[in-house]
Amino acid sequence: MFQSILVPVDGSAHAEKALEVAAQLATPPARLYLINVQQPPNDIGLLVGGSGMPVSEEVIQKLVKEREDDARKILDKAYAAVKLDGLQVEEMIAKGRPAEAIVAEAEALQVEAIVMGSRGMSDLKGMVIGSVSHRVGHTAHCTVITVN
């Protein structure tokens, strides 16, 4: 059905189910792109217990490394959860606002579809300010399939 699909993964059950659906929709030797978006904190100084004043480069690099490690664990969990035999899989870690990063990557890769969970790890925040899947569905220029 599809030869190129972007699948955002965030460690949630909905994201894993979306990856299962994407694997079913992909016609081998289709390419699946797994993306995890790490959103930087609003105020890194407050995050580390400070007053919002500038923090050292060492502290910033430590936080960046922790986020990359978190993303790696999430991507590894997705691989372990779903059988992806016969599919070409590429993974990426993006930084920024999730919806914008997902749409930008989909456009850059010129994928045919985005398959994503209807809810991710931030359910409460999504209910208050609008879900990532909702924003992606309204701004992407390709097919967007949301999975419950």
Side-chain angles (χ1 to χ4, degrees), residues 132-146:
V132 172
S133 59
H134 179 79
R135 283 181 291 205
V136 169
H138 282 80
T139 58
H141 299 292
C142 62
T143 300
V144 177
I145 301 168
T146 57

Side-chain angles (χ1 to χ4, degrees), residues 13-140:
H14 286 279
E16 285 181 15
K17 190 168 182 185
L19 182 55
E20 288 176 22
V21 170
Q24 293 170 3
L25 294 173
T27 306
R31 187 173 301 269
L32 289 183
Y33 298 94
L34 305 185
I35 184 172
N36 176 263
V37 182
Q38 292 290 312
Q39 188 167 355
N42 293 335
D43 189 332
I44 202 164
L46 292 175
L47 178 70
V48 295
S51 63
M53 299 294 288
V55 294
S56 70
E57 183 64 26
E58 180 181 336
V59 170
I60 292 171
Q61 291 306 316
K62 180 182 176 197
L63 291 171
V64 167
K65 172 83 170 91
E66 288 173 1
R67 297 239 171 182
E68 288 173 354
D69 291 346
D70 290 345
R72 178 79 261 145
K73 289 175 188 170
I74 290 167
L75 289 165
D76 289 345
K77 181 182 174 193
Y79 276 117
V82 180
K83 204 172 185 105
L84 301 173
D85 298 338
L87 301 172
Q88 298 177 47
V89 181
E90 289 186 34
E91 60 189 44
M92 57 204 67
I93 300 170
K95 294 171 182 66
R97 295 177 143 177
E100 289 83 357
I102 292 164
V103 171
E105 201 61 48
E107 290 176 4
L109 295 169
Q110 298 181 342
V111 295
E112 294 174 90
I114 300 169
V115 178
M116 63 189 303
S118 61
R119 293 233 188 261
M121 294 301 281
S122 59
D123 284 347
L124 179 60
K125 183 179 175 185
M127 289 180 349
V128 174
I129 61 172
S131 71
V132 172
S133 59
H134 179 79
R135 283 181 291 205
V136 169
H138 282 80
T139 58

